[in-house]
Amino acid sequence: MPRKALIAANWKMYKTPAEAQTFVDAFLPLVKGHTRDEIALFPSPVLLPTVVPACEGSNVAVGAQNIHFAEEGAYTGETSIGQLRAVGGTHTLIGHSERRQYFAETDEIVNKKLHTALKHGVVPIVCIGEVLEEREAGKTASVLKTQVNGAFAGVSPEAAAPIVIAYEPVWAIGTGRTATPEIAADAHAIIRAEVTKLLGADVAAAMRILYGGSVKPDNITNLMAQEEIDGALVGGASLKPESFTAIVKY
Ligand code: PGA
């Protein structure tokens, strides 16, 4: 069965509630009736009570950029999975490279968050990717394998169906330096082979692997032409309804 593509917007720490509402008001009519791909928005947690109701009944899902692995507790500044679900969020990013880089998230933490998301029926998008020095040192494959194994530890094939992976080479994020479609597809093949080893061929064949890192309206078509690429995680170019629509409708 072909994998249905997912095009996701990572808004990072941008937009006020009013700006988020303006985006959704403009965006939903532009993508109305678009069923070829799944669409999801990932705003800051304070925007969820605006964006979730605004997207209700539409073809656009809404999720968090991060969740804590604990159900609840004394974790100042964090958001729990129960809080996400209570406001209607259905998806979450996990282990984005900015979380790994600035907030010291390790593969072990990513793994705990993945288990929490799966337990609560929230669709996890697990982000992995190498930094420039690792690519230049020829370590990309081993880094990706380590990240996949770390993230998926203890996940059974039966539980793995909802998982989405986002391959985001760190050197391509926010730099305007996109991986070529071939570089991205090679990395995706490495990741899928590792998932095959861990969870079996059926799970791996069904698992969506998105590409992220300077995806723009003018490079999405070539990226999506690669059979290995099952969608995109888009930062900068997702902030304007017109450019994100152009990406969704590549
Ligand atoms: P970018 O960000 O599209 O601005 O490179 C992608 C991401 O960080 O998910």
Side-chain angles (χ1 to χ4, degrees):
M1 222 175 77
R3 297 179 291 265
K4 184 162 184 167
L6 169 61
I7 312 290
N10 175 9
W11 284 355
K12 308 195 179 184
M13 203 171 68
Y14 293 102
K15 294 192 189 295
T16 62
E19 288 164 351
Q21 183 73 53
T22 302
F23 177 103
V24 176
D25 288 345
F27 180 63
L28 291 188
L30 294 172
V31 297
K32 191 168 190 267
H34 184 90
T35 53
R36 181 193 57 186
D37 315 274
E38 285 176 24
I39 307 168
L41 303 177
F42 292 87
S44 304
V46 293
L47 303 179
L48 289 169
T50 302
V51 178
V52 171
C55 291
E56 208 180 317
S58 77
N59 52 340
V60 177
V62 184
Q65 296 170 10
N66 176 43
I67 47 131
H68 199 273
F69 51 78
E71 308 276 328
E72 61 180 0
Y75 297 103
T76 302
E78 294 291 317
T79 304
S80 76
I81 196 92
Q83 291 169 327
L84 173 63
R85 291 196 61 206
V87 296
T90 52
H91 293 55
T92 187
L93 305 183
I94 295 177
H96 187 278
S97 68
E98 286 151 16
R99 302 286 324 162
R100 295 177 188 257
Q101 190 179 348
Y102 304 126
F103 303 97
E105 280 193 17
T106 60
D107 289 334
E108 197 188 344
I109 293 172
V110 169
N111 175 248
K112 285 184 175 176
K113 292 183 173 189
L114 178 60
H115 281 282
T116 300
L118 291 173
K119 180 174 167 201
H120 290 273
V122 168
V123 177
I125 302 184
V126 177
C127 304
I128 61 176
E130 80 287 0
V131 301
L132 187 59
E133 300 75 61
E134 291 164 340
R135 174 155 291 269
E136 287 177 340
K139 292 187 183 149
T140 299
S142 70
V143 168
L144 296 177
K145 288 177 191 175
T146 301
Q147 289 176 332
V148 168
N149 280 284
F152 285 20
V155 173
S156 69
E158 295 70 39
I163 302 173
V164 178
I165 295 177
Y167 168 62
E168 298 202 300
V170 180
W171 46 271
I173 295 178
T175 58
R177 196 176 155 190
T178 326
T180 63
E182 293 73 25
I183 287 179
D186 280 354
H188 285 213
I190 291 166
I191 294 163
R192 203 177 299 284
E194 204 57 25
V195 175
T196 305
K197 269 195 232 160
L198 273 176
L199 297 170
D202 290 350
V203 171
M207 192 170 287
R208 291 176 294 180
I209 306 179
L210 318 184
Y211 168 76
S214 297
V215 173
K216 309 282 178 217
D218 64 6
N219 59 29
I220 182 73
T221 309
N222 287 339
L223 288 163
M224 292 304 291
Q226 297 286 333
E227 208 185 302
E228 267 298 339
I229 301 182
D230 306 315
L233 180 56
V234 188
S238 75
L239 291 169
K240 294 225 163 66
E242 299 75 22
S243 68
F244 190 51
T245 300
I247 291 171
V248 167
K249 296 190 171 176
Y250 61 88

